[in-house]
Amino acid sequence: MRTRRLGKTEIKVSELVLGGGYVGGLLLHQDDETKRLAIRHAMEEGINFIDTAPSYGDGESERAIGWLLQEVEETPYISTKVAIDAATRNDLVGQIESSIHDSLARLQRNSVDLLQLHNRLGAEDDGPTLAVKHLFAKRGVIEGLENARSQGLTKYIGLTALGEIEPCRTAIESDAFDTAQVYYNLLNPSAGHQMPRAWVGQTFAGLIDSCRTHDVGVMNIRVFAAGILATNVRTGREIPITSEQDLSIEQCRSDAIFAALNDDNYTQAQTAIRFSLAHEDISCVLVGVADIDQLQEAIAGGLSGPLPKSSIANLQKVYDSNFGLM
């Protein structure tokens, strides 16, 4: 598998990263032997990075990665996350320190390669959404993440660029972070694609440009848009994370996309991956899969290379018409 540079970290990350989250759920919902086969297959095919978080299965994803990696010779890069408690904004440094130590115990490691803030960012506190001021305050989030780095608990620090766009841009442009997890897919490529006036959706305009300017590595999340782009079979684990909450409308948009592309040699999931890989400023694409077949499908898509420019041009017509829903 090809690799790309992960921003200022200088990590040569595989174009596909194995996600340990709930929506795909392989590391949470499958039996142990399937998990073993998946990890070994991913490593054999050149995937060199696994992403997880304490909230994925209440720590179960981290625990699974911990014991699974004891059984393989390869040592992939590992990233996990910390989420500031929605109920309190007190002792942010202490929350981060406690969270990373708990994660390391579950992962059976002394350190991770990347520790990321998991909260959405906003102008003000709103439940799990974290006001951007908490990043820069004395004894704030950045100080807590840097403390973890200085203690050798992580090599790099990152954020999840979800929530309100201006706070996300402020965080990226602060030069405090090495990486950003950025929402970008066929249904909403606004983070790195000029969208027409007719297009309707939550905007992440300019985030990838900001990452490039500040050498922040872009980790593309939700390439399958909660599974809508991957398959027409619903699992009940579809959890949209943008303002486009109506799954039936999202399905109509997906249908319009694939009708325009007519990419007969590839599955929907593979086409979605190839679309992201066509953006040269994306360092890697995080894929969440449910089983071995889906993992093999995703890997085959990644190995097929980026979507051609002619297909990107066809997509522009779909966006210009707001997916034909005008």
Side-chain angles (χ1 to χ4, degrees):
M1 183 170 294
R2 292 173 292 269
T3 61
R4 298 187 181 191
R5 176 178 175 273
L6 185 59
K8 67 188 75 169
T9 73
E10 297 293 349
I11 288 174
K12 296 300 183 183
V13 61
S14 52
E15 289 188 326
L16 297 188
V17 166
L18 182 62
Y22 174 78
V23 174
L26 186 149
L27 296 180
L28 297 175
H29 308 302
Q30 289 287 354
D31 60 84
D32 288 353
E33 186 56 29
T34 300
K35 294 174 184 176
R36 285 190 181 95
L37 292 173
I39 290 292
R40 289 170 179 166
H41 185 61
M43 300 297 104
E44 289 168 358
E45 292 294 335
I47 291 178
N48 69 359
F49 205 120
I50 302 175
D51 178 72
T52 186
S55 63
Y56 298 162
D58 193 24
E60 183 55 36
S61 176
E62 291 179 323
R63 279 187 285 270
I65 292 168
W67 67 261
L68 285 164
L69 291 184
Q70 302 300 311
E71 300 184 358
V72 298
E73 294 183 0
E74 296 86 353
T75 305
Y77 298 107
I78 300 293
S79 59
T80 193
K81 306 179 184 75
V82 56
I84 300 303
D85 191 341
T88 178
R89 299 300 189 236
N90 295 326
D91 191 19
L92 304 187
V93 170
Q95 287 192 46
I96 291 169
E97 183 170 7
S98 175
S99 179
I100 183 58
H101 279 292
D102 289 345
S103 289
L104 292 175
R106 289 188 289 264
L107 288 165
Q108 302 183 45
R109 295 170 64 97
N110 295 321
S111 67
V112 291
D113 299 284
L114 174 63
L115 179 62
Q116 305 159 98
L117 177 66
H118 208 177
N119 297 75
R120 299 167 184 255
L121 294 177
E124 303 293 338
D125 288 328
D126 183 12
T129 296
L130 187 70
V132 69
K133 65 182 180 183
H134 296 302
L135 272 60
F136 306 102
K138 183 176 177 58
R139 302 285 295 171
V141 169
I142 292 173
E143 183 176 339
L145 294 173
E146 287 292 358
N147 281 356
R149 181 171 8 211
S150 68
Q151 294 173 44
L153 305 179
T154 185
K155 294 179 182 177
Y156 306 106
I157 62 173
L159 77 152
T160 304
L162 291 175
E164 299 171 20
I165 184 169
E166 289 306 323
C168 289
R169 186 178 290 114
T170 296
I172 289 168
E173 295 178 355
S174 72
D175 289 321
F177 296 96
D178 301 306
T179 66
Q181 293 202 333
V182 177
Y183 189 92
Y184 180 87
N185 57 50
L186 280 164
L187 297 183
N188 186 339
S190 60
H193 187 88
Q194 185 66 42
M195 304 305 291
R197 184 176 301 177
W199 180 80
V200 176
Q202 182 176 352
T203 182
F204 298 99
L207 288 189
I208 291 181
D209 283 346
S210 292
C211 287
R212 181 182 63 251
T213 299
H214 293 269
D215 203 17
V216 172
V218 177
M219 305 179 74
N220 180 192
I221 58 172
R222 294 301 185 107
V223 65
F224 300 136
I228 299 297
L229 289 168
T231 175
N232 292 328
V233 178
R234 304 278 72 87
T235 66
R237 297 195 300 274
E238 293 80 14
I239 305 175
I241 57 175
T242 68
S243 58
E244 299 94 272
Q245 298 294 318
D246 190 326
L247 292 183
S248 63
I249 294 177
E250 289 290 82
Q251 185 64 61
C252 291
R253 290 173 172 169
S254 176
D255 293 343
I257 287 289
F258 291 114
L261 288 176
N262 194 28
D263 201 11
D264 292 333
N265 294 323
Y266 299 94
T267 67
Q268 291 185 183
Q270 290 169 339
T271 299
I273 290 169
R274 297 178 71 224
F275 171 73
S276 287
L277 292 177
H279 199 305
E280 61 183 13
D281 292 321
I282 287 176
S283 297
C284 56
V285 178
L286 276 69
V287 292
V289 296
D291 53 41
I292 298 292
D293 288 344
Q294 288 184 8
L295 176 61
Q296 293 174 329
E297 179 184 0
I299 290 170
L303 294 176
S304 299
L307 208 62
K309 292 182 179 179
S310 58
S311 295
I312 302 297
N314 287 338
L315 286 172
Q316 188 61 46
K317 300 174 184 177
V318 179
Y319 299 139
D320 286 342
S321 69
N322 190 30
F323 305 91
L325 300 176
M326 297 175 63

